Amino acid sequence: MKLISAGIEIKPILTSLFLLLLAPFILTVEARKKPAWVTNHGRSEKYSQTRYLTGFGQAHDITPDSQQIALDNARASLSQQVLVKINNTISNHQADDGQNLSQQFSSVTHSSSALQVMGLKELVYVNDSRKNPRSYALVYILRHELAQLYQAKLKTLTSEIRQIIQLAENNKAQKQMALRYYCQTLPLFEQLTESQTILLSVSATQALADLANQELEELPPLPTKNEINGQIQQLALHSLDSLDDVAGAIMFQFLQQFDPEGKQTLVQPFFYQDTRLTAQISRYLKQLLESKWGNSVQAGSQFQARSVQYTREMAVSAGAEYIINGSYWEQGEEIKVLALCRQLQTGQVKASANVEFNRRILTPGQSLKPQNFEQAMAQQMAFAQQAIESNQLRLEVWTDRGKDALLYSQGELMTVYLRSNQPCHVRLLYILANGQKTLLVDNLKINAESINQALVINELLDIDFECSSPFGAEMLIAVGRNRPFDGLESREQNGYLFIEVDDPSQLASLTRGTRGFKRRKREDPTIEQTEAKLIITTVPFNF
């Protein structure tokens, strides 16, 4: 039976970040006794959190490929810690300052899988158990060493930006040349932002501005990226009368910075501000940029991530060498689009663009936000509060289009994947665009034979996800526990289970099964629970 009112329609299935500079220090350990960092899932006295920045990863099997996946997961874990720090810093600022910081650091926070930290050392431990062979990885660096590396990086970037700006100033009479020089500073500003972000992760006490400007006080102030963008806008003199003109202006700025000829590129939907939501304007921008790029590729429908770097692996599997993503921001009557082109192999920003236009050029079908934006944000915030995380149990969920900027148009099908690193029980809740909450499955058991394997939810539950009206923001929440969940009260309709709770916080608590959970966990410290979620936007196809 079809659930007609769903944005992602559920029906019975018909057929069964900047240049990577890693220290080449990889030690494979095959000792009888596990190192403390393996036993404690990345934590140990030797690599204490006060002195080191660390990332922990693991993978099934002990092959060289599995060891590489464990290392990729460890790097992603360390990058995620950096991103959590910058997001917390931004959220602690006042509304206006917070939005300014969000814009400044959006290229980092919206490209989490591309953020790569230089100077990391690596350890790999393999457990050749016949029943459960596994590879474990730890990436680490002393915090003071990291600070020194990135202080030097800041100085170098600042000097390069200053020199290029001077060349632009010296050639103001030749507008095209001056414009090219100004544009060439943009990817350097992005690298500067990444360096500031990573510096922030070094200290828990210093403010962002203090860390960003450390040891640079003796130099004259550097023009801001906004000031450079102002110069670019004056020299470019583009007339922006449609979204096609906006896409053309983005490509024009990209072309001033590098030559994309022959470069296979994946274009992702752009985010709305600092949310994980997209809208119809994202689909239009994506398609316009693809047509202007000429060598764009599409994500394959059979994509399955091996590591937690979903976006990067999706792009590589599609044959892409570069990826374009970004965000767009409302500023009164003006809309600002921030776009980024990044090389996948190195993580280096190759081009950056900043284009502003008046909202009057948008057609009624080019909406900026999902129709249910307020409701969706309230639900997201509720699930962001008091999230339960385990040091041992890890649950992952992603789609055939990765995990970020998920946008599906009317009639398109979505494949959902699930993976756990340990045997567990899983609860899956889907929140539809119209506000309905359906319990897809409760106490789905993942056995030892299925750990670290990509499980296809569509096949496990014998359902298909098809995009249909009403459209808007939707969410899939997966909660995993190494013990069965208590029963969850629901109402059955047409073969589906619905949760009749409107309060977002209450729904989050019920989905997590937290009633009495903390007490039981104190009594039995072996209980582990974790969760993962997907934010999906559905839009009509009305070209």
Side-chain angles (χ1 to χ4, degrees):
M1 297 295 291
K2 293 183 179 180
L3 190 61
I4 300 298
S5 59
I8 283 286
E9 183 179 284
I10 305 175
K11 64 182 183 181
I13 195 165
L14 301 178
T15 60
S16 258
L17 292 115
F18 62 93
L19 183 64
L20 176 62
L21 296 172
L22 292 176
F25 185 83
I26 304 176
L27 174 63
T28 301
V29 183
E30 294 181 346
R32 291 183 179 179
K33 185 178 180 181
K34 291 182 180 179
W37 62 266
V38 173
T39 305
N40 298 321
H41 299 269
R43 300 182 182 275
S44 70
E45 279 189 37
K46 185 174 181 180
Y47 303 104
S48 66
Q49 297 298 301
T50 55
R51 298 178 60 232
Y52 288 89
L53 189 65
T54 64
F56 175 75
Q58 56 182 302
H60 182 64
D61 216 335
I62 60 174
T63 64
D65 193 43
S66 297
Q67 293 177 43
Q68 186 58 54
I69 293 172
L71 280 168
D72 289 344
N73 287 338
R75 294 190 195 102
S77 171
L78 187 144
S79 296
Q80 186 60 37
Q81 294 173 55
V82 174
L83 294 175
V84 168
K85 188 70 177 288
I86 188 66
N87 283 323
N88 288 342
T89 299
I90 292 170
S91 64
N92 288 334
H93 281 70
Q94 297 293 330
D96 291 341
D97 290 341
Q99 187 178 70
N100 290 335
L101 283 172
S102 292
Q103 285 188 32
Q104 180 184 348
F105 289 91
S106 63
S107 63
V108 180
T109 57
H110 289 164
S111 304
S112 57
S113 62
L115 181 64
Q116 301 184 54
V117 179
M118 65 182 181
L120 297 179
K121 296 180 177 64
E122 303 167 347
L123 290 173
V124 174
Y125 173 85
V126 295
N127 180 2
D128 58 359
S129 163
R130 289 186 178 181
K131 291 185 177 180
N132 187 23
R134 276 195 181 183
S135 297
Y136 301 88
L138 183 78
V139 295
Y140 63 95
I141 186 170
L142 283 164
R143 290 178 181 268
H144 74 268
E145 288 183 1
L146 186 69
Q148 290 172 354
L149 281 171
Y150 280 93
Q151 292 290 0
K153 182 78 172 176
L154 281 178
K155 284 187 175 181
T156 300
L157 289 169
T158 302
S159 176
E160 291 180 12
I161 292 171
R162 202 180 303 278
Q163 291 175 22
I164 297 174
I165 290 174
Q166 189 60 56
L167 288 171
E169 296 293 330
N170 293 342
N171 289 276
K172 273 290 186 67
Q174 302 180 56
K175 289 188 176 181
Q176 184 60 41
M177 186 176 293
L179 177 60
R180 182 175 291 272
Y181 279 130
Y182 278 127
C183 286
Q184 288 174 1
T185 67
L186 297 181
L188 298 178
F189 271 108
E190 298 298 344
Q191 293 182 42
L192 195 72
T193 299
E194 288 185 349
S195 297
Q196 292 171 345
T197 303
I198 292 166
L199 268 174
L200 179 66
S201 67
V202 175
S203 171
T205 56
Q206 288 179 284
L208 176 62
D210 294 336
L211 284 166
N213 297 315
Q214 249 181 9
E215 298 186 15
L216 300 176
E217 295 177 357
E218 71 277 8
L219 299 174
L222 189 70
T224 67
K225 186 180 175 183
N226 283 339
E227 291 172 337
I228 298 301
N229 282 318
Q231 296 286 353
I232 292 171
Q233 300 299 329
Q234 289 181 24
L235 292 168
L237 297 176
H238 287 298
S239 176
L240 303 179
D241 299 318
S242 68
L243 210 55
D244 184 73
D245 293 337
V246 174
I250 292 171
M251 280 302 303
F252 175 81
Q253 290 189 29
F254 280 175
L255 290 172
Q256 306 308 304
Q257 300 166 59
F258 88 118
D259 182 8
E261 185 176 355
K263 305 293 191 303
Q264 297 282 81
T265 303
L266 179 73
V267 182
Q268 282 198 292
F270 285 26
F271 288 113
Y272 172 71
Q273 299 192 162
D274 57 352
T275 72
R276 312 309 287 177
L277 299 174
T278 59
Q280 285 174 288
I281 187 177
S282 300
R283 189 190 62 196
Y284 280 85
L285 266 178
K286 179 181 185 298
Q287 294 179 340
L288 291 168
L289 287 170
E290 286 172 340
S291 66
K292 295 180 184 301
W293 191 269
N295 284 298
S296 63
V297 296
Q298 301 296 325
S301 60
Q302 302 303 315
F303 159 71
Q304 292 190 23
R306 300 184 310 158
S307 74
V308 298
Q309 299 191 49
Y310 313 101
T311 301
R312 184 181 185 281
E313 290 198 12
M314 176 186 64
V316 170
S317 70
E321 300 173 67
Y322 292 82
I323 188 167
I324 293 175
N325 56 24
S327 56
Y328 54 95
W329 302 73
E330 287 188 89
Q331 297 179 323
E333 290 302 305
E334 295 298 308
I335 308 298
K336 178 186 288 188
V337 180
L338 308 177
L340 202 70
C341 180
R342 193 184 293 267
Q343 189 175 27
L344 285 166
Q345 184 176 4
T346 64
Q348 184 181 25
V349 175
K350 300 298 291 186
S352 174
N354 186 323
V355 177
E356 296 185 32
F357 63 92
N358 193 288
R359 66 168 66 238
R360 62 177 170 75
I361 72 171
L362 297 176
T363 66
Q366 295 171 346
S367 59
L368 295 169
K369 297 182 289 189
Q371 293 180 351
N372 63 335
F373 176 76
E374 299 296 336
Q375 178 188 19
M377 288 304 299
Q379 197 65 75
Q380 281 192 50
M381 291 179 65
F383 273 93
Q385 301 296 319
Q386 299 181 344
I388 300 173
E389 294 184 2
S390 167
N391 290 328
Q392 300 182 30
L393 177 62
R394 177 180 293 275
L395 191 67
E396 303 168 57
V397 60
W398 71 95
T399 78
D400 54 296
R401 296 184 183 175
K403 191 171 182 177
D404 297 322
L406 296 178
L407 180 70
Y408 288 84
S409 298
Q410 186 172 1
E412 291 182 329
L413 299 177
M414 179 175 72
T415 304
V416 183
Y417 300 93
L418 182 73
R419 180 166 57 205
S420 171
N421 69 333
Q422 293 185 13
C424 65
H425 297 262
V426 177
R427 170 177 286 171
L428 292 174
L429 179 77
Y430 202 101
I431 303 177
L432 304 157
N434 63 357
Q436 286 185 303
K437 298 93 179 174
T438 178
L439 185 64
L440 296 180
V441 66
D442 208 7
N443 282 312
L444 172 68
K445 190 174 182 180
I446 297 180
N447 297 315
E449 297 78 20
S450 299
I451 62 173
N452 289 303
Q453 304 297 317
L455 306 176
V456 184
I457 294 300
N458 307 53
E459 296 176 359
L460 286 174
L461 305 185
D462 196 33
I463 59 175
D464 202 7
F465 298 90
E466 181 179 353
C467 180
S468 66
S469 65
F471 304 103
E474 308 191 338
M475 184 158 54
L476 173 66
I477 302 98
V479 185
R481 185 186 290 180
N482 62 351
R483 299 284 193 278
F485 289 91
D486 295 334
L488 185 59
E489 187 175 341
S490 59
R491 171 181 59 84
E492 184 175 355
Q493 180 179 331
N494 297 328
Y496 298 98
L497 300 175
F498 293 95
I499 309 299
E500 296 185 318
V501 174
D502 293 326
D503 181 76
S505 297
Q506 186 181 358
L507 178 65
S509 177
L510 286 172
T511 303
R512 290 165 172 160
T514 52
R515 179 178 296 179
F517 174 72
K518 293 181 179 179
R519 177 182 58 79
R520 290 200 302 272
K521 189 171 183 180
R522 284 197 299 269
E523 294 173 353
D524 184 357
T526 64
I527 297 178
E528 296 288 339
Q529 180 165 320
T530 191
E531 61 190 72
K533 62 178 178 288
L534 294 175
I535 310 299
I536 303 137
T537 306
T538 64
V539 296
F541 189 86
N542 55 4
F543 271 148

